[in-house]
Amino acid sequence: MRAHNAATTLPRLLDCLAAQTLDKLQIMVIDAASTDATLRVLSMAQERDVTLEAAHIEAAEYPHAYNLGIERARGTYLFFMDGSDTMARGTLERLYTLCEDHNLDLAMGSVGTSERSFSGQLSTRVLYDSNDQFHRDAWRFFALGLLPYPEGKLMRRSCVKQAGSLFSCDGGMSFMVSFLKEASGVAFDPLAIYNANTLCDPVGWGITDCMEDGSQDMLDELFASWGLSQDAQTQSMLQNRYLAGLITSIIHTCSPACELDGAQKRAHIEKAIMDDRTQKVAHGDRSLRSLIARMMLAAIRRKDVTMTMKEGELFSWLTRRYPNLKMDLV
Protein backbone atom coordinates (compact mmCIF):
# COMPACT_ATOMS: atom_id res chain seq x y z
CA MET A 1 0.00 0.00 0.00
CA ARG A 2 1.11 3.50 -0.82
CA ALA A 3 0.13 6.03 1.82
CA HIS A 4 0.58 9.70 0.94
CA ASN A 5 -1.06 12.12 3.39
CA ALA A 6 -3.44 9.33 4.31
CA ALA A 7 -3.74 9.95 8.06
CA THR A 8 -7.53 10.20 7.89
CA THR A 9 -8.09 7.19 5.61
CA LEU A 10 -5.32 4.79 6.68
CA PRO A 11 -7.13 3.53 9.83
CA ARG A 12 -10.15 2.62 7.69
CA LEU A 13 -7.94 0.76 5.24
CA LEU A 14 -6.14 -1.17 8.00
CA ASP A 15 -9.49 -2.12 9.55
CA CYS A 16 -10.59 -3.31 6.12
CA LEU A 17 -7.51 -5.53 5.89
CA ALA A 18 -8.03 -6.87 9.40
CA ALA A 19 -11.53 -7.92 8.34
CA GLN A 20 -10.27 -9.94 5.38
CA THR A 21 -10.88 -13.69 5.60
CA LEU A 22 -7.52 -14.73 4.15
CA ASP A 23 -4.73 -15.63 6.58
CA LYS A 24 -0.96 -15.26 6.29
CA LEU A 25 -0.87 -11.89 4.58
CA GLN A 26 2.30 -9.86 4.28
CA ILE A 27 0.98 -6.33 4.76
CA MET A 28 3.37 -3.58 3.74
CA VAL A 29 2.51 0.11 4.03
CA ILE A 30 4.90 2.54 2.36
CA ASP A 31 4.66 6.14 3.49
CA ALA A 32 5.35 8.27 0.44
CA ALA A 33 6.64 11.63 1.66
CA SER A 34 3.57 12.41 3.74
CA THR A 35 3.42 15.80 5.42
CA ASP A 36 0.43 15.05 7.66
CA ALA A 37 0.13 12.57 10.54
CA THR A 38 0.42 9.45 8.36
CA LEU A 39 3.69 8.34 9.97
CA ARG A 40 2.24 8.71 13.46
CA VAL A 41 -0.88 6.73 12.51
CA LEU A 42 1.32 4.05 10.97
CA SER A 43 3.53 3.88 14.06
CA MET A 44 0.50 3.43 16.31
CA ALA A 45 -0.81 0.69 14.01
CA GLN A 46 2.52 -1.14 14.23
CA GLU A 47 2.34 -1.06 18.03
CA ARG A 48 -0.97 -2.92 17.83
CA ASP A 49 0.17 -5.30 15.06
CA VAL A 50 3.87 -6.17 15.09
CA THR A 51 3.47 -8.10 11.80
CA LEU A 52 2.61 -4.90 9.93
CA GLU A 53 5.58 -3.80 7.83
CA ALA A 54 6.20 -0.12 7.18
CA ALA A 55 8.67 1.87 5.13
CA HIS A 56 9.21 5.53 4.35
CA ILE A 57 10.38 7.05 1.08
CA GLU A 58 11.01 10.69 0.19
CA ALA A 59 9.13 10.50 -3.13
CA ALA A 60 5.39 11.18 -3.12
CA GLU A 61 4.74 9.55 -6.51
CA TYR A 62 3.13 6.11 -6.40
CA PRO A 63 5.60 4.30 -8.75
CA HIS A 64 8.41 4.50 -6.18
CA ALA A 65 6.19 3.06 -3.44
CA TYR A 66 4.82 0.22 -5.53
CA ASN A 67 8.23 -0.70 -6.93
CA LEU A 68 9.63 -0.88 -3.40
CA GLY A 69 6.73 -3.14 -2.50
CA ILE A 70 7.56 -5.47 -5.38
CA GLU A 71 11.19 -5.57 -4.26
CA ARG A 72 10.33 -6.50 -0.67
CA ALA A 73 7.36 -8.79 -1.26
CA ARG A 74 7.75 -12.44 -0.27
CA GLY A 75 4.32 -13.93 -0.98
CA THR A 76 3.07 -15.95 -3.91
CA TYR A 77 0.80 -13.14 -5.06
CA LEU A 78 0.84 -9.32 -5.15
CA PHE A 79 -2.09 -7.00 -4.47
CA PHE A 80 -1.68 -3.22 -4.76
CA MET A 81 -3.67 -0.65 -2.80
CA ASP A 82 -3.67 3.08 -2.19
CA GLY A 83 -3.94 4.45 1.33
CA SER A 84 -7.34 6.01 0.64
CA ASP A 85 -8.99 2.85 -0.72
CA THR A 86 -10.91 -0.10 0.75
CA MET A 87 -12.29 -3.45 -0.38
CA ALA A 88 -15.16 -5.70 0.54
CA ARG A 89 -14.74 -8.41 3.15
CA GLY A 90 -13.61 -11.65 1.52
CA THR A 91 -12.22 -9.98 -1.62
CA LEU A 92 -8.68 -11.32 -1.19
CA GLU A 93 -9.86 -14.83 -0.39
CA ARG A 94 -12.14 -14.92 -3.44
CA LEU A 95 -9.29 -13.87 -5.74
CA TYR A 96 -6.76 -16.14 -4.03
CA THR A 97 -9.07 -19.17 -4.31
CA LEU A 98 -9.59 -18.49 -8.01
CA CYS A 99 -5.84 -18.35 -8.65
CA GLU A 100 -5.06 -21.43 -6.58
CA ASP A 101 -7.92 -23.61 -7.82
CA HIS A 102 -7.31 -22.83 -11.49
CA ASN A 103 -3.56 -22.08 -11.54
CA LEU A 104 -4.04 -18.48 -12.69
CA ASP A 105 -1.57 -15.63 -12.92
CA LEU A 106 -4.29 -12.98 -12.67
CA ALA A 107 -7.63 -12.72 -10.88
CA MET A 108 -9.56 -9.46 -11.27
CA GLY A 109 -12.31 -8.04 -9.10
CA SER A 110 -14.81 -5.24 -9.58
CA VAL A 111 -13.25 -1.79 -9.32
CA GLY A 112 -15.04 1.49 -8.87
CA THR A 113 -14.85 5.00 -7.47
CA SER A 114 -17.55 7.15 -5.93
CA GLU A 115 -18.16 8.63 -9.39
CA ARG A 116 -18.05 5.54 -11.54
CA SER A 117 -18.28 1.76 -11.51
CA PHE A 118 -15.70 0.25 -13.84
CA SER A 119 -17.32 -3.17 -14.05
CA GLY A 120 -21.05 -2.59 -13.79
CA GLN A 121 -21.72 -4.42 -17.05
CA LEU A 122 -20.03 -7.61 -15.83
CA SER A 123 -22.23 -9.29 -13.24
CA THR A 124 -21.12 -12.92 -13.53
CA ARG A 125 -17.82 -14.65 -12.86
CA VAL A 126 -15.66 -15.26 -15.92
CA LEU A 127 -12.94 -17.91 -16.12
CA TYR A 128 -10.90 -18.10 -19.30
CA ASP A 129 -9.96 -21.62 -20.34
CA SER A 130 -7.19 -20.44 -22.65
CA ASN A 131 -4.98 -17.40 -23.15
CA ASP A 132 -6.31 -16.95 -26.68
CA GLN A 133 -9.84 -16.74 -25.33
CA PHE A 134 -8.84 -14.04 -22.85
CA HIS A 135 -6.82 -12.12 -25.45
CA ARG A 136 -9.84 -11.97 -27.76
CA ASP A 137 -11.98 -10.65 -24.90
CA ALA A 138 -9.41 -8.33 -23.29
CA TRP A 139 -10.75 -5.31 -25.19
CA ARG A 140 -13.88 -5.53 -23.03
CA PHE A 141 -11.92 -5.13 -19.77
CA PHE A 142 -9.94 -2.21 -21.18
CA ALA A 143 -13.13 -0.57 -22.46
CA LEU A 144 -14.71 -0.87 -19.01
CA GLY A 145 -11.61 0.65 -17.44
CA LEU A 146 -10.62 -2.45 -15.48
CA LEU A 147 -7.33 -3.48 -17.04
CA PRO A 148 -5.46 -0.16 -17.17
CA TYR A 149 -5.14 -0.22 -13.39
CA PRO A 150 -3.21 -2.60 -11.11
CA GLU A 151 -5.58 -2.06 -8.18
CA GLY A 152 -8.23 -4.68 -7.43
CA LYS A 153 -6.21 -7.52 -8.95
CA LEU A 154 -4.29 -10.46 -7.52
CA MET A 155 -1.15 -11.18 -9.58
CA ARG A 156 1.28 -14.05 -9.34
CA ARG A 157 4.54 -12.54 -8.11
CA SER A 158 6.75 -14.89 -10.13
CA CYS A 159 4.98 -13.74 -13.31
CA VAL A 160 5.53 -10.08 -12.36
CA LYS A 161 9.21 -10.77 -11.74
CA GLN A 162 9.59 -12.78 -14.96
CA ALA A 163 7.98 -9.97 -16.97
CA GLY A 164 10.21 -7.40 -15.28
CA SER A 165 7.10 -5.34 -14.60
CA LEU A 166 7.79 -2.05 -12.83
CA PHE A 167 5.75 1.11 -12.36
CA SER A 168 6.34 4.44 -14.04
CA CYS A 169 4.27 7.64 -14.08
CA ASP A 170 1.71 6.45 -16.61
CA GLY A 171 -1.19 5.34 -14.44
CA GLY A 172 0.09 1.76 -14.25
CA MET A 173 -0.20 1.11 -17.98
CA SER A 174 3.40 0.04 -18.62
CA PHE A 175 3.27 -2.28 -15.60
CA MET A 176 0.04 -3.91 -16.75
CA VAL A 177 1.13 -4.28 -20.38
CA SER A 178 4.40 -6.01 -19.52
CA PHE A 179 2.62 -8.25 -17.00
CA LEU A 180 -0.17 -9.20 -19.42
CA LYS A 181 2.37 -10.28 -22.02
CA GLU A 182 3.54 -12.98 -19.61
CA ALA A 183 0.33 -13.80 -17.72
CA SER A 184 -1.24 -17.19 -18.28
CA GLY A 185 -4.69 -17.86 -16.88
CA VAL A 186 -7.12 -15.05 -16.08
CA ALA A 187 -10.43 -14.79 -14.24
CA PHE A 188 -12.87 -12.09 -13.14
CA ASP A 189 -15.07 -12.21 -10.04
CA PRO A 190 -17.66 -9.38 -9.65
CA LEU A 191 -18.07 -10.16 -5.94
CA ALA A 192 -14.43 -9.32 -5.21
CA ILE A 193 -15.00 -5.60 -4.80
CA TYR A 194 -12.29 -2.93 -4.65
CA ASN A 195 -13.39 0.59 -3.74
CA ALA A 196 -10.99 3.25 -5.01
CA ASN A 197 -11.06 6.83 -3.82
CA THR A 198 -9.57 7.85 -7.15
CA LEU A 199 -7.70 6.24 -10.01
CA CYS A 200 -4.90 7.70 -12.10
CA ASP A 201 -5.85 7.14 -15.71
CA PRO A 202 -3.51 8.39 -18.46
CA VAL A 203 -6.52 9.92 -20.22
CA GLY A 204 -6.61 12.49 -17.43
CA TRP A 205 -3.18 13.92 -18.17
CA GLY A 206 -2.24 17.08 -20.00
CA ILE A 207 -1.89 17.27 -23.76
CA THR A 208 1.88 16.77 -23.80
CA ASP A 209 1.63 13.60 -21.70
CA CYS A 210 -1.22 12.28 -23.81
CA MET A 211 0.74 12.62 -27.03
CA GLU A 212 4.17 11.62 -25.75
CA ASP A 213 3.85 9.14 -22.86
CA GLY A 214 3.51 6.15 -25.20
CA SER A 215 0.52 4.52 -23.48
CA GLN A 216 -1.43 4.16 -26.70
CA ASP A 217 1.59 2.71 -28.49
CA MET A 218 2.03 0.19 -25.67
CA LEU A 219 -1.57 -0.95 -26.04
CA ASP A 220 -1.26 -1.18 -29.82
CA GLU A 221 1.86 -3.29 -29.46
CA LEU A 222 0.25 -5.55 -26.84
CA PHE A 223 -2.72 -6.42 -28.99
CA ALA A 224 -0.50 -6.77 -32.05
CA SER A 225 1.61 -9.32 -30.13
CA TRP A 226 -1.62 -11.24 -29.51
CA GLY A 227 -2.43 -11.19 -33.24
CA LEU A 228 -5.41 -8.86 -32.82
CA SER A 229 -4.35 -5.89 -34.93
CA GLN A 230 -7.26 -6.47 -37.29
CA ASP A 231 -9.88 -7.40 -34.71
CA ALA A 232 -12.79 -4.95 -35.08
CA GLN A 233 -13.81 -4.83 -31.41
CA THR A 234 -10.23 -4.42 -30.26
CA GLN A 235 -9.55 -1.64 -32.73
CA SER A 236 -12.76 0.17 -31.80
CA MET A 237 -11.73 0.09 -28.12
CA LEU A 238 -8.24 1.37 -28.92
CA GLN A 239 -9.58 4.20 -31.04
CA ASN A 240 -12.19 5.21 -28.47
CA ARG A 241 -9.56 5.20 -25.74
CA TYR A 242 -7.25 7.33 -27.88
CA LEU A 243 -10.05 9.80 -28.55
CA ALA A 244 -11.08 9.92 -24.89
CA GLY A 245 -7.47 10.60 -23.92
CA LEU A 246 -7.14 13.34 -26.50
CA ILE A 247 -10.34 15.14 -25.55
CA THR A 248 -9.72 14.87 -21.83
CA SER A 249 -6.17 16.15 -22.18
CA ILE A 250 -7.33 19.08 -24.32
CA ILE A 251 -9.77 20.01 -21.56
CA HIS A 252 -7.01 19.73 -18.95
CA THR A 253 -4.62 21.77 -21.09
CA CYS A 254 -7.22 24.53 -21.36
CA SER A 255 -7.61 24.62 -17.59
CA PRO A 256 -6.20 27.62 -15.67
CA ALA A 257 -4.19 25.07 -13.66
CA CYS A 258 -2.11 24.22 -16.75
CA GLU A 259 1.27 25.96 -16.48
CA LEU A 260 1.66 26.56 -20.20
CA ASP A 261 1.05 30.06 -21.54
CA GLY A 262 -1.59 30.74 -24.18
CA ALA A 263 0.74 30.37 -27.16
CA GLN A 264 2.16 27.12 -25.84
CA LYS A 265 -1.31 25.70 -25.22
CA ARG A 266 -2.36 26.56 -28.74
CA ALA A 267 0.78 25.04 -30.25
CA HIS A 268 0.34 21.77 -28.37
CA ILE A 269 -3.35 21.48 -29.21
CA GLU A 270 -2.73 22.32 -32.86
CA LYS A 271 -0.08 19.62 -33.06
CA ALA A 272 -2.43 17.13 -31.41
CA ILE A 273 -5.47 17.68 -33.62
CA MET A 274 -3.42 17.90 -36.84
CA ASP A 275 -1.81 14.54 -36.09
CA ASP A 276 -2.54 11.94 -38.79
CA ARG A 277 -3.74 9.37 -36.28
CA THR A 278 -6.02 11.89 -34.58
CA GLN A 279 -7.69 12.75 -37.88
CA LYS A 280 -8.03 9.09 -38.87
CA VAL A 281 -9.66 8.22 -35.56
CA ALA A 282 -11.81 11.36 -35.54
CA HIS A 283 -13.22 10.61 -38.99
CA GLY A 284 -13.93 6.99 -38.16
CA ASP A 285 -17.35 5.61 -37.29
CA ARG A 286 -17.55 6.74 -33.66
CA SER A 287 -20.48 6.06 -31.35
CA LEU A 288 -20.03 8.73 -28.70
CA ARG A 289 -22.63 9.01 -25.93
CA SER A 290 -21.22 12.22 -24.48
CA LEU A 291 -22.36 15.62 -25.75
CA ILE A 292 -18.96 17.02 -24.74
CA ALA A 293 -17.14 14.50 -26.91
CA ARG A 294 -19.46 14.99 -29.88
CA MET A 295 -19.11 18.76 -29.79
CA MET A 296 -15.33 18.68 -29.51
CA LEU A 297 -15.04 16.00 -32.17
CA ALA A 298 -16.69 18.29 -34.72
CA ALA A 299 -14.04 20.98 -34.18
CA ILE A 300 -11.23 18.41 -34.22
CA ARG A 301 -12.45 16.99 -37.53
CA ARG A 302 -12.39 20.50 -39.04
CA LYS A 303 -8.89 21.07 -37.59
CA ASP A 304 -10.31 24.23 -36.01
CA VAL A 305 -7.78 25.04 -33.30
CA THR A 306 -9.55 28.18 -32.08
CA MET A 307 -12.92 26.44 -31.65
CA THR A 308 -11.24 23.42 -30.03
CA MET A 309 -9.60 25.70 -27.47
CA LYS A 310 -12.81 27.64 -26.77
CA GLU A 311 -14.69 24.40 -26.21
CA GLY A 312 -11.82 23.09 -24.11
CA GLU A 313 -11.97 26.16 -21.88
CA LEU A 314 -15.76 25.85 -21.52
CA PHE A 315 -15.69 22.16 -20.70
CA SER A 316 -12.74 22.66 -18.38
CA TRP A 317 -14.90 25.05 -16.38
CA LEU A 318 -17.88 22.67 -16.47
CA THR A 319 -15.89 19.62 -15.37
CA ARG A 320 -14.36 21.58 -12.49
CA ARG A 321 -17.81 22.67 -11.40
CA TYR A 322 -19.45 19.28 -12.10
CA PRO A 323 -16.69 16.63 -11.67
CA ASN A 324 -18.91 13.70 -12.72
CA LEU A 325 -19.01 15.05 -16.29
CA LYS A 326 -15.41 14.02 -16.92
CA MET A 327 -16.25 10.36 -16.21
CA ASP A 328 -18.45 10.07 -19.31
CA LEU A 329 -16.49 11.44 -22.22
CA VAL A 330 -17.18 8.60 -24.68
Side-chain angles (χ1 to χ4, degrees), residues 2 4 30 32-33 57-67 168-169:
R2 166 192 176 265
H4 173 68
I30 299 163
I57 58 176
E58 294 299 329
E61 295 81 7
Y62 77 93
H64 302 284
Y66 279 172
N67 288 336
S168 60
C169 294

Side-chain angles (χ1 to χ4, degrees), residues 28-83:
M28 189 186 317
V29 182
I30 299 163
D31 172 69
S34 294
T35 56
D36 65 354
T38 296
L39 274 174
R40 182 169 59 85
V41 171
L42 194 50
S43 178
M44 293 172 60
Q46 281 189 288
E47 291 178 4
R48 296 191 302 269
D49 182 1
V50 295
T51 65
L52 180 67
E53 300 179 30
H56 173 78
I57 58 176
E58 294 299 329
E61 295 81 7
Y62 77 93
H64 302 284
Y66 279 172
N67 288 336
L68 179 61
I70 294 172
E71 179 184 329
R72 296 189 179 182
R74 302 185 301 273
T76 305
Y77 301 97
L78 299 174
F79 190 88
F80 300 96
M81 296 189 74
D82 187 79

Side-chain angles (χ1 to χ4, degrees), residues 189-241:
D189 184 349
L191 298 182
I193 300 171
Y194 185 91
N195 301 303
N197 180 56
T198 185
L199 288 168
C200 176
D201 192 330
V203 301
W205 294 4
I207 192 73
T208 53
D209 296 309
C210 173
M211 301 305 295
E212 298 171 9
D213 83 310
S215 294
Q216 196 70 29
D217 291 338
M218 283 189 283
L219 279 183
D220 291 342
E221 196 275 329
L222 173 66
F223 283 99
S225 71
W226 289 346
L228 293 169
S229 296
Q230 304 303 316
D231 179 73
Q233 291 173 312
T234 295
Q235 290 306 308
S236 178
M237 177 277 295
L238 290 172
Q239 291 173 7
N240 280 346
R241 184 172 177 82

Side-chain angles (χ1 to χ4, degrees), residues 3-20:
H4 173 68
N5 292 340
T8 58
T9 59
L10 191 55
R12 181 186 62 184
L13 181 149
L14 294 174
D15 288 343
C16 157
L17 287 171
Q20 291 299 308

Side-chain angles (χ1 to χ4, degrees), residues 103-264:
N103 192 29
L104 308 178
D105 285 338
L106 171 64
M108 298 182 286
S110 296
V111 178
T113 67
S114 58
E115 293 91 5
R116 176 182 178 187
S117 171
F118 286 79
S119 48
Q121 299 177 33
L122 295 174
S123 57
T124 58
R125 196 178 81 165
V126 181
L127 177 65
Y128 290 98
D129 296 326
S130 69
N131 287 343
D132 287 344
Q133 185 183 13
F134 166 67
H135 295 167
R136 288 193 299 271
D137 211 32
W139 68 269
R140 190 185 313 276
F141 294 97
F142 275 102
L144 288 172
L146 280 171
L147 270 178
Y149 311 107
E151 292 85 0
K153 301 168 182 63
L154 199 68
M155 309 177 198
R156 191 178 297 276
R157 184 168 66 94
S158 61
C159 182
V160 171
K161 301 293 281 187
Q162 180 178 343
S165 300
L166 290 173
F167 286 87
S168 60
C169 294
D170 58 9
M173 181 66 74
S174 57
F175 174 89
M176 289 304 302
V177 166
S178 61
F179 172 75
L180 288 171
K181 286 182 179 180
E182 295 293 333
S184 178
V186 177
F188 168 79
D189 184 349
L191 298 182
I193 300 171
Y194 185 91
N195 301 303
N197 180 56
T198 185
L199 288 168
C200 176
D201 192 330
V203 301
W205 294 4
I207 192 73
T208 53
D209 296 309
C210 173
M211 301 305 295
E212 298 171 9
D213 83 310
S215 294
Q216 196 70 29
D217 291 338
M218 283 189 283
L219 279 183
D220 291 342
E221 196 275 329
L222 173 66
F223 283 99
S225 71
W226 289 346
L228 293 169
S229 296
Q230 304 303 316
D231 179 73
Q233 291 173 312
T234 295
Q235 290 306 308
S236 178
M237 177 277 295
L238 290 172
Q239 291 173 7
N240 280 346
R241 184 172 177 82
Y242 177 89
L243 197 57
L246 176 69
I247 292 173
T248 309
S249 59
I250 288 173
I251 292 173
H252 282 227
T253 298
C254 292
S255 166
C258 178
E259 296 179 354
L260 300 177
D261 62 31
Q264 290 173 319

